[in-house]
Amino acid sequence: MNKDTIIGFVLIAVVLIGFSWYNQPSAEEMEAARKQDSIAAAIKDNAVKQQKLNEATRKAQAESAAKADSSALFFAALSGTNQPVVLKNDKVELTFDTKGGTISKAIIKGFEDRDNKMDVTLFDQNTQQMNFMLAGKNENIITKDLFFTPSNVTDSTVTLTAAASNGGSIVFNYCLGPNYMLHFTFQVNGLNGIFAPNYKEMDIEWTEMARQQEKGFTFENRYATLTYKEKDGSTDYLSETSEKIDEKVETALDWVAFKNQFFSATLIAKNEFAANSLMTSIPQEKGSGFLKQFNAKMKTAFDPSGMQPSEFEMYIGPNDFRLIKAVEEQTTFGKDLDLEQLVYLGWPLFRYINRFFTIYVFDWLTSWGFSMGIVLILITLLLKAITFPMVKKSYMSSAKMRVLKPKLDEATKQYDKPEDQMKKQQAMMQMYSQYGVSPLSGCLPMLIQMPIWIAMFNFVPNAIQLRRQSFLWIDDLSTYDPIIEWQTNLWGIGDHLSLTCILFCVAQILYSYMTMRQQKDQMVGAQAEQMKMMQWMMYLMPLMFFFMFNDYSSGLNFYYFISLFFSAAIMWTLRKTTNDEKLLAILEAKYRENKNNPNKKVSGLAARLEAMQKQAEELQKQRMNQKR
């Protein structure tokens, strides 16, 4: 380091030190700042004190109003002490509060929570509330404000009663089944005179802050929805990504579910919920510990005479297709509830594939005791075996086009002008027809695999059997498998890199390369130029998949990786076992056979191109005649 450099560094240091000294606050400014901080702290303390005072005032006003309204029908039930009552079996544990008379906490047993602790708390008294409301002639009855007296208490039953001053009452009767189904009734006794003669419906408001139960917030949030089933119809749900407030559902409903990715709480009405229910779903921020804020405002049949109770059921349990089908048989309502629709399996075509193939195969392989990773590999092999004959036929069609390429180049070289492209295509199709080749069958592998890929796209993320299942380096097949994580949320990537997603994208690039190379070998003329643009699109697709699937479950990415690996292996094997010389000899024999048959007509795409060419020539002649 020379003298000039040292002097330069010294001058820079002097400037920086001088600038810092010049900008430091004076003693007067520091004292003023201290006073300002003291004032701000005092304002904050006063605000806190004022808030506490306001809360105390509101509480005193509420107590005063309650005392003043001593003539209220349920005045005696407006005060008391909450006494939680627990119903439980081997599958669930449900807590009921005597204040409000409804379920306040649900624990699903046998499943690990997000912190790897046994048993999942689906909701508690701080995150969920169910309220039944009755409109009387002179006053409204709101169950969340009433204290109920428990009786008939066992591990599976409880009766909660709120007594009225006129000797009447409101009664909840609860009965927990052997697993995840809760049966209950709502009934009034001796209150007929307080309702209008035409009063036949009561209001129910149900709210829940849906907890994050899995590691991957973004992926789980995609499958957390407010779902409902229309009476005598199909299921539907509110948008899983956008905010919906008081969305009106114009048809009557059999049930409403607050659904997480793998667990649901579902409220079922025997006499359905009336049309025009209002549904709310508000997505929550990442890091809040919650996925959605759900709210449902509904009306259902109510008998003010008390002769006929309003009957309900609740399914509180895992989203397991087979399990839900079995539990649904316990319903006493005598109608097909279709609760298995809580497990979303895709649009009709893909749902049928999953419903009548994937689930059966999955259950069969699982019954052998294989790990979930091995099950995914075996399903992939089975699907490849089923589709192999069609894939081989498609490959052979592509191979025929490949060995014919020199002949096509020679036969169509005179059609190099842009205006001759139709004639060139027609000549090519005619040659393909003469050699017995179908150029469209080369697209068949993708057409065959796409429905299966999409079906698995819907099945794997909803398969609760993959939850907390490890395989190789993957700790949990139901969520992402990070090789690196960071705190900042980067746009398009998130806060991690998923290894199975990277493997899937790399496999997609290699498979695209093999596919493009094979297709390039069979392209003629302008088709080869068009293929260059297609190549760029095919290579950009894995990049797009990376941004899409980095948050997805490692089980799904692993399946796609294995599927592409076997597809590439099949293509490589077919390429190595195909003798181009023998194949060309077979095509030449076919050509001679067709040439010796002058009555054989051109068919298929070649015939359509020929017809289009004739139409184009006819139109051109008409234009020429009009100009003359």
Side-chain angles (χ1 to χ4, degrees):
M1 185 180 293
N2 59 32
K3 182 176 68 175
D4 293 339
T5 303
I6 295 173
I7 293 172
F9 277 119
V10 170
L11 289 175
I12 291 172
V14 169
V15 170
L16 289 174
I17 294 170
F19 183 79
S20 300
W21 176 83
Y22 179 78
N23 284 280
Q24 70 178 353
S26 64
E28 292 80 3
E29 290 173 333
M30 292 177 66
E31 178 63 21
R34 186 187 64 77
K35 291 180 179 179
Q36 188 66 32
D37 290 341
S38 299
I39 293 171
I43 292 173
K44 184 177 180 180
D45 290 340
N46 288 335
V48 172
K49 292 178 181 178
Q50 185 63 42
Q51 183 179 0
K52 292 181 178 179
L53 179 61
N54 292 339
E55 290 176 355
T57 302
R58 284 195 295 269
K59 184 176 180 180
Q61 289 174 346
E63 292 175 352
S64 176
K67 291 177 181 178
D69 193 17
S70 60
S71 62
L73 183 63
F74 284 91
F75 172 73
L78 290 174
S79 60
T81 302
N82 184 39
Q83 301 174 13
V85 178
V86 176
L87 304 186
K88 59 184 178 180
N89 55 30
D90 293 337
K91 305 297 183 182
V92 293
E93 181 178 304
L94 307 178
T95 302
F96 298 83
D97 282 350
T98 55
K99 184 179 182 183
T102 57
I103 185 171
S104 62
K105 185 177 182 180
I107 296 176
I108 301 175
K109 300 179 180 180
F111 295 90
E112 292 182 354
D113 65 9
R114 185 157 58 108
D115 298 322
N116 298 321
K117 296 178 181 178
M118 189 53 67
D119 300 338
V120 170
T121 299
L122 190 59
F123 57 78
D124 59 23
Q125 62 274 15
N126 297 318
T127 59
Q128 187 268 171
Q129 186 179 73
M130 188 177 294
N131 188 26
F132 293 74
M133 296 165 283
L134 303 172
K137 290 185 288 187
N138 299 317
E139 60 181 287
N140 295 329
I141 302 171
I142 303 175
T143 59
K144 71 176 182 179
D145 297 331
L146 304 180
F147 285 85
F148 290 74
T149 302
S151 61
N152 189 30
V153 179
T154 68
D155 280 348
S156 60
T157 63
V158 64
T159 299
L160 297 173
T161 306
S165 58
N166 68 347
S169 62
I170 295 177
V171 180
F172 284 104
N173 271 301
Y174 293 99
C175 179
L176 178 62
N179 37 47
Y180 301 100
M181 189 70 86
L182 173 70
H183 311 264
F184 72 98
T185 61
F186 177 88
Q187 188 174 15
V188 297
N189 298 312
L191 301 179
N192 191 27
I194 73 167
F195 301 106
N198 59 346
Y199 187 68
K200 299 294 182 183
E201 287 184 334
M202 66 175 171
D203 291 270
I204 302 174
E205 185 170 3
W206 184 25
T207 63
E208 181 188 333
M209 292 291 291
R211 294 186 173 199
Q212 181 183 348
Q213 304 288 358
E214 312 303 324
K215 179 174 69 173
F217 171 86
T218 304
F219 188 64
E220 183 185 6
N221 208 11
R222 192 176 285 116
Y223 294 93
T225 59
L226 192 159
T227 306
Y228 52 86
K229 180 188 178 294
E230 300 173 352
K231 181 186 177 184
D232 302 323
S234 60
T235 59
D236 202 351
Y237 57 90
L238 299 188
S239 171
E240 64 271 36
T241 56
S242 60
E243 183 177 289
K244 298 292 182 181
I245 299 178
D246 287 344
E247 187 89 358
K248 183 182 290 186
V249 182
E250 297 181 349
T251 59
L253 304 176
D254 283 331
W255 50 260
V256 175
F258 295 164
K259 174 182 175 295
N260 286 45
Q261 183 181 4
F262 293 121
F263 305 97
S264 293
T266 307
L267 180 62
I268 309 160
K270 181 177 182 179
N271 294 317
E272 65 267 348
F273 299 111
N276 300 321
S277 296
L278 300 178
M279 305 294 174
T280 295
S281 175
I282 303 175
Q284 302 300 294
E285 293 294 329
K286 185 176 183 178
S288 66
F290 298 98
L291 303 170
K292 301 281 193 332
Q293 177 185 333
F294 292 137
N295 180 269
K297 300 174 183 177
M298 304 160 286
K299 293 180 181 289
T300 191
F302 168 70
D303 181 8
S305 71
M307 298 293 292
Q308 187 69 34
S310 299
E311 296 186 52
F312 303 91
E313 291 176 335
M314 286 192 75
Y315 173 79
I316 302 173
N319 301 330
D320 184 323
F321 189 91
R322 294 290 190 205
L323 174 64
I324 293 176
K325 287 285 287 184
V327 172
E328 188 177 336
E329 295 178 0
Q330 299 173 19
T331 181
T332 59
F333 293 168
K335 55 183 178 181
D336 188 4
L337 296 174
D338 278 340
L339 286 174
E340 67 273 10
Q341 298 277 359
L342 290 170
V343 183
Y344 183 71
L345 297 177
W347 292 350
L349 171 61
F350 314 120
R351 183 174 182 81
Y352 289 138
I353 294 174
N354 286 325
R355 172 69 181 83
F356 298 106
F357 174 78
T358 310
I359 290 178
Y360 281 99
V361 174
F362 190 85
D363 290 346
W364 176 64
L365 292 174
T366 304
S367 68
W368 286 85
F370 296 120
S371 70
M372 291 299 108
I374 298 297
V375 167
L376 290 174
I377 293 174
L378 294 177
I379 287 179
T380 306
L381 284 172
L382 181 60
L383 290 172
K384 294 301 179 185
I386 293 173
T387 58
F388 179 75
M390 291 177 285
V391 170
K392 182 179 180 181
K393 183 177 180 181
S394 174
Y395 173 83
M396 294 308 297
S397 178
S398 298
K400 291 174 183 178
M401 295 171 67
R402 182 181 69 247
V403 298
L404 286 176
K405 184 177 181 297
K407 293 182 177 292
L408 287 171
D409 288 335
E410 181 66 26
T412 60
K413 64 182 181 180
Q414 69 270 30
Y415 303 117
D416 288 337
K417 297 179 181 180
E419 60 270 20
D420 293 336
Q421 289 306 304
M422 182 67 75
K423 292 181 180 179
K424 185 173 186 176
Q425 290 293 329
Q426 184 180 349
M428 289 170 55
M429 293 302 106
Q430 187 172 9
M431 283 193 66
Y432 283 142
S433 179
Q434 290 172 342
Y435 280 95
V437 176
S438 174
L440 293 181
S441 59
C443 303
L444 194 59
M446 185 60 68
L447 295 177
I448 295 169
Q449 295 181 63
M450 281 305 294
I452 297 173
W453 272 49
I454 297 174
M456 294 298 288
F457 176 83
N458 290 297
F459 174 78
V460 173
N462 291 290
I464 194 172
Q465 292 85 351
L466 298 179
R467 187 177 186 268
R468 299 292 190 273
Q469 295 297 308
S470 61
F471 182 68
L472 299 178
W473 69 89
I474 305 170
D475 293 330
D476 185 350
L477 285 165
S478 70
T479 188
Y480 59 82
D481 56 320
I483 55 171
I484 184 173
E485 294 183 275
W486 54 86
Q487 297 300 319
T488 306
N489 191 48
L490 300 180
W491 181 86
I493 299 178
D495 56 5
H496 65 274
L497 289 178
S498 174
L499 179 56
T500 51
C501 179
I502 295 172
L503 291 175
F504 161 45
C505 293
V506 171
Q508 180 69 39
I509 292 173
L510 295 176
Y511 182 71
S512 297
Y513 172 77
M514 293 179 66
T515 304
M516 291 295 102
R517 184 176 178 182
Q518 177 179 317
Q519 292 182 355
K520 185 178 179 180
D521 291 343
Q522 65 193 43
M523 294 300 175
V524 179
Q527 290 180 337
E529 295 298 321
Q530 295 172 0
M531 182 54 61
K532 292 180 180 180
M533 180 62 69
M534 182 65 70
Q535 281 180 330
W536 282 108
M537 293 176 62
M538 293 297 290
Y539 291 144
L540 285 174
M541 190 177 296
L543 180 62
M544 181 180 67
F545 281 160
F546 171 75
F547 290 111
M548 287 176 57
F549 287 86
N550 191 46
D551 268 323
Y552 272 60
S553 73
S554 54
L556 182 64
N557 282 321
F558 180 73
Y559 165 76
Y560 283 157
F561 165 68
I562 293 297
S563 179
L564 287 168
F565 174 81
F566 285 128
S567 294
I570 290 171
M571 185 180 296
W572 182 85
T573 302
L574 289 172
R575 182 70 179 88
K576 289 297 182 180
T577 56
T578 301
N579 189 314
D580 287 358
E581 294 180 359
K582 289 184 179 180
L583 183 59
L584 182 60
I586 294 172
L587 293 175
E588 291 289 358
K590 185 70 174 179
Y591 174 78
R592 289 192 295 271
E593 179 184 343
N594 291 333
K595 189 176 181 180
N596 294 330
N597 185 8
N599 296 324
K600 183 176 178 62
K601 297 181 179 180
V602 177
S603 61
L605 183 59
R608 289 192 290 273
L609 285 172
E610 186 175 351
M612 290 171 62
Q613 174 67 18
K614 290 180 179 179
Q615 289 178 0
E617 291 174 354
E618 190 65 30
L619 286 172
Q620 189 174 3
K621 288 180 180 179
Q622 291 178 3
R623 290 171 184 168
M624 293 293 293
N625 292 332
Q626 288 176 357
K627 290 181 179 180
R628 293 176 183 174

